[in-house]
Amino acid sequence: MAEKLFNRMIGLGSTMLFFGAFGNQMMFTVDGGERAVVYNKFSGVKKTIYGEGLHFMLPVVEKPTIFQVRLRPTVINSHTGTKDLQTVNISLRLLFRPNEEYLVHILKTLGEHYENVVLPSIGNEVLKAIVAQYNAEQLLTQRDKVSADIREGLTARAREFNIFLDDVSITHLNFGREFARAIEEKQVAQQEAERSKFIVMRNEEEKRAEIIRAEGTAEAATLISKAFTEGGDGIIEFRRIQAAEHIAKQLADKQGVTYIPGGNGNLLNIPISPQ
């Protein structure tokens, strides 16, 4: 009886020792937003895709590879040329995830870090192809269309590798120094052209004003000449009376000035000697 109990204790101890040594190697956990593919040293990559939860595996023989199936961001930088041979630096932000149904194929062909293998390569390929269709100015004025073309081309290209792209956006667009200098020179030239146009228009207006003034002076001279012809000395006498009235008004408004009318006498009875 004691011998049987001793053997049971030995068996239980051996079992506990075995699970203690290999327990962690017999199980693996798949968290939320993850999937797992198991590699077997004898049969290769298993076709089963493991979902969330706790799973068993053969220790030493099998090894799980955990894939993130939730959306993840990455940035692709590209240095390329435009249609008019301008240098441009473009940065793209991608939101990607793998096609869960093809995780086994992805692990076999691309490996665990498939995004580092595929996305930079196809990103530069598509960017160079799309940007080369536009000149530098169009990249600025038609940015939405350029972004849409890049998104369409890159999404289709990534799908060939069983990768889904949920968003593609241009985050940075920068040109070389030569283009920046050309833009600055163009702006200066446009400002000079506008200034020259304004000067020409001002000169034209001044010429037009001079012509109008000259026409007015000529018309006034014509009217005066006509008045002399028709009125004779009457117009001269009228002008003389107007001038006398103006002078008399100015003298009357000044203090200390006394107006003495001409003739043989005056208000002060001052004798006037004959000349």
Side-chain angles (χ1 to χ4, degrees):
M1 183 70 180
E3 184 178 356
K4 289 183 179 180
L5 181 60
F6 179 73
N7 290 335
R8 288 180 180 177
M9 291 179 64
I10 292 177
L12 181 60
S14 300
T15 303
M16 292 179 64
L17 181 64
F18 176 80
F19 277 100
F22 299 99
N24 291 334
Q25 300 181 18
M26 294 177 62
M27 297 179 293
F28 65 93
T29 303
V30 179
D31 296 329
E34 296 179 344
R35 298 293 182 270
V37 176
V38 175
Y39 170 74
N40 187 291
K41 290 185 178 181
F42 298 106
S43 60
V45 179
K46 299 174 69 172
K47 296 182 179 180
T48 303
I49 298 175
Y50 296 85
E52 303 166 2
L54 183 65
H55 304 277
F56 292 93
M57 64 178 179
L58 296 176
V60 181
V61 177
E62 294 181 338
K63 175 186 176 183
T65 299
I66 306 297
F67 286 93
Q68 299 283 344
V69 294
R70 62 173 66 95
L71 286 175
R72 288 187 293 159
T74 187
V75 176
I76 298 176
N77 299 311
S78 180
H79 183 78
T80 183
T82 62
K83 186 177 181 180
D84 53 352
L85 305 180
Q86 294 293 336
T87 302
V88 60
N89 296 314
I90 297 183
S91 295
L92 289 180
R93 183 179 182 272
L94 313 178
L95 290 178
F96 71 94
R97 58 187 175 88
N99 187 341
E100 297 181 26
E101 298 178 0
Y102 290 89
L103 287 177
V104 174
H105 179 73
I106 290 175
L107 181 62
K108 285 183 177 181
T109 57
L110 302 175
E112 180 181 358
H113 303 289
Y114 62 92
E115 69 276 9
N116 296 331
V117 176
V118 175
L119 295 182
S121 176
I122 64 174
N124 279 280
E125 174 190 342
V126 172
L127 278 174
K128 291 180 184 296
I130 298 299
V131 172
Q133 300 175 14
Y134 297 88
N135 57 42
E137 185 177 356
Q138 288 174 331
L139 290 181
L140 297 174
T141 59
Q142 303 179 23
R143 182 164 178 165
D144 292 341
K145 185 177 185 304
V146 175
S147 181
D149 290 346
I150 293 175
R151 184 185 303 112
E152 181 180 356
L154 198 54
T155 300
R157 195 76 175 87
R159 195 175 291 117
E160 298 177 6
F161 296 92
N162 303 303
I163 300 174
F164 294 144
L165 297 181
D166 285 28
D167 183 67
V168 179
S169 59
I170 299 176
T171 59
H172 181 71
L173 182 63
N174 185 31
F175 295 94
R177 294 181 180 179
E178 294 79 6
F179 181 75
R181 185 163 51 249
I183 289 294
E184 183 178 355
E185 292 176 353
K186 181 179 179 181
Q187 291 177 345
V188 172
Q190 288 178 344
Q191 292 175 356
E192 290 294 332
E194 291 295 330
R195 182 173 178 273
S196 300
K197 183 179 178 180
F198 170 76
I199 292 174
V200 171
M201 292 177 62
R202 186 183 64 184
N203 292 338
E204 290 293 332
E205 290 297 328
E206 290 178 353
K207 289 180 180 178
R208 202 171 287 114
E210 290 292 338
I211 293 173
I212 293 174
R213 281 195 294 267
E215 291 176 350
T217 302
E219 184 176 356
T222 302
L223 292 175
I224 292 173
S225 176
K226 183 179 180 181
F228 277 123
T229 303
E230 294 178 355
D233 295 338
I235 188 63
I236 298 176
E237 184 64 21
F238 176 72
R239 292 297 186 186
R240 187 183 66 79
I241 294 172
Q242 283 184 330
E245 288 180 352
H246 179 67
I247 294 172
K249 186 177 183 305
Q250 287 184 337
L251 292 176
D253 292 339
K254 291 183 179 181
Q255 296 180 357
V257 177
T258 302
Y259 175 70
I260 302 175
N264 296 328
N266 52 66
L267 296 177
L268 299 178
N269 296 319
I270 301 174
I272 299 176
S273 59
Q275 299 294 330

